[in-house]
Amino acid sequence: MSKLVIVGTVAFDAIETPFGKTDKILGGAATFIGLAASQFNVDAAIVSVVGGDFPQEYLDLLSDKNIDISGVEIVKEGKTFFWSGKYHNDMNTRDTLATELNVLADFNPVVPVGYKNAEVVMLGNLHPLVQMGVLEQMNKKPKMVILDTMNFWMDCALEELKAVIKKVDVITINDEEARQLTGEYSLVVAARKIHEMGPKYVVIKKGEHGALLFHEDNVFFAPALPLEEVFDPTGAGDTFAGGFAGFLAKTEDYSFENMKNAVIYGSTLASFCVEKFGTERMKKLNEKEVYQRLDQFKQLTQFEIVLENIL
Ligand code: AMP
């Protein structure tokens, strides 16, 4: 089993969906990634920062999942990163109402000594200079570096983002962001352009329409599981990324074939995340539920077809 380093926000979120509204609750890219990766019992550490206002019970929740949080700095006199968003009726699109960087504004990440040799690095959504800072602290070249980002950083730190994209193996990005990054409408052309920027593997997430994995001339597609209830999509992208990274760290097989299964695990875990507000569903998820849903996924996508003597 490989070690996994996760960098990303650990945050307060306030969310509004057609089904309800929350006050500040636990959120953040690294939180969702960590909770998803913890399903694989991998040796994972989060590198992040929070303020003195961050409840100990939230930190305990992460360490109770066996996630090493010694790399989560607590700035006693500072305030935790805060994000607020409101979903449209389609639940696939949202408006960001507030992004308050707070302690994230001058964060210098420190990778715990025991994780500087981690084989898998998951650069979750935050400032690209922080993502780069983590990569520079690794003692040896990781076997797999995965990067997730969002339009916010394309708008305010594009050059820094391009510099870190150059150094990663896999990028996970949503369709809208892939279009913004490349200026291309076709996702196939966008993926090709992103390949040219550095990553050998490009995952384009399409929300309730599934995810595409591109590698050279190969494409793999996984649908999202059709769900009866979608309550809050916040963190689905990060949960996907955490499942993807956790699966690769657990299996230590970084081939395209195995990455297809990583996409399936990522999609399956994301399907749980959206069923409740914030981290509620992921906190209580158990192994049996995951395997049951993987089986549903298999039924949904598997078919035998005769390729001769029919037409
Ligand atoms: P997702 O729904 O997967 O895009 O992720 C939502 C999570 O990302 C929320 O929990 C937020 O706290 C976090 N988030 C929102 N905006 C940013 C940002 N600009 N940088 C880092 N994390 C963010």
Side-chain angles (χ1 to χ4, degrees):
M1 179 166 49
S2 298
K3 281 189 182 175
L4 170 65
V5 168
I6 300 163
V7 62
T9 43
V10 172
F12 286 132
D13 287 349
I15 304 156
E16 200 176 327
T17 80
F19 302 106
K21 208 174 157 172
T22 68
D23 286 329
K24 286 186 174 180
I25 56 171
L26 172 62
T31 307
F32 286 105
I33 294 169
L35 288 176
S38 71
Q39 287 294 324
F40 300 92
N41 285 318
V42 287
D43 187 357
I46 290 182
V47 177
S48 193
V49 64
V50 293
D53 54 353
F54 198 70
Q56 183 62 38
E57 70 171 278
Y58 287 170
L59 293 171
D60 292 345
L61 191 151
L62 295 171
S63 35
D64 288 349
K65 295 275 177 192
N66 285 328
I67 302 167
D68 185 300
I69 55 163
S70 60
V72 179
E73 186 190 341
I74 302 171
V75 181
K76 285 224 165 61
E77 64 289 358
K79 281 173 72 183
T80 300
F81 174 83
F82 171 66
W83 175 79
S84 160
K86 181 176 176 176
Y87 287 85
H88 302 160
N89 281 339
D90 67 2
M91 293 290 265
N92 232 6
T93 48
R94 69 184 178 204
D95 293 325
T96 289
L97 304 178
T99 302
E100 293 172 14
L101 295 179
N102 298 329
V103 286
L104 194 69
D106 346 88
F107 174 45
N108 286 314
V110 179
V111 178
V113 178
Y115 289 86
K116 282 179 187 278
N117 59 353
E119 289 84 358
V120 182
V121 177
M122 175 72 232
L123 302 175
N125 190 13
L126 43 51
H127 199 298
L129 285 181
V130 176
Q131 294 177 317
M132 187 68 105
V134 164
L135 271 191
E136 283 168 352
Q137 289 173 52
M138 301 310 287
N139 279 344
K140 59 172 199 218
K141 196 175 167 349
K143 295 226 165 84
M144 188 65 14
V145 180
I146 305 154
L147 175 137
D148 189 43
T149 188
M150 76 189 288
N151 47 0
F152 182 87
W153 302 111
M154 291 175 203
D155 295 336
C156 71
L158 185 60
E159 286 319 305
E160 294 91 330
L161 179 61
K162 283 186 175 165
V164 67
I165 285 177
K166 218 179 197 170
K167 295 194 172 293
V168 310
D169 303 289
V170 185
I171 182 169
T172 68
I173 189 168
N174 77 27
D175 41 3
E176 223 182 288
E177 291 153 357
R179 290 184 175 120
Q180 177 171 346
L181 185 62
T182 61
E184 295 291 343
Y185 184 80
S186 155
L187 294 178
V188 177
V189 180
R192 192 180 314 131
K193 282 207 168 169
I194 299 173
H195 277 317
E196 285 162 12
M197 293 177 176
K200 292 187 286 296
Y201 302 90
V202 177
V203 178
I204 300 186
K205 299 169 285 182
K206 289 155 57 71
E208 66 169 331
H209 304 298
L212 291 156
L213 166 66
F214 295 87
H215 171 56
E216 295 169 351
D217 291 329
N218 302 312
V219 194
F220 173 70
F221 172 69
L225 208 72
L227 295 170
E228 259 177 58
E229 277 188 69
V230 176
F231 211 67
D232 169 22
T234 308
D238 304 312
T239 302
F240 174 93
F244 182 90
F247 178 79
L248 292 179
K250 180 67 171 258
T251 56
E252 299 184 299
D253 174 352
Y254 308 105
S255 66
F256 179 69
E257 281 310 307
N258 198 47
M259 251 182 227
K260 292 181 184 175
N261 285 338
V263 168
I264 299 291
Y265 265 92
S267 304
T268 303
L269 292 175
S271 78
F272 287 105
C273 175
V274 303
E275 288 181 337
K276 292 222 160 94
F277 267 119
T279 56
E280 280 313 300
R281 187 66 177 97
M282 295 309 290
K283 265 178 0 193
K284 298 191 179 122
L285 189 58
N286 67 47
E287 205 179 294
K288 195 167 158 224
E289 292 171 309
V290 178
Y291 283 130
Q292 271 172 355
R293 200 160 278 188
L294 278 165
D295 191 43
Q296 270 176 271
F297 221 105
K298 215 171 149 188
Q299 307 298 332
L300 176 75
T301 50
Q302 249 184 8
F303 57 89
E304 295 288 330
I305 195 163
V306 180
L307 292 180
E308 55 194 346
N309 295 335
I310 293 287
L311 306 174

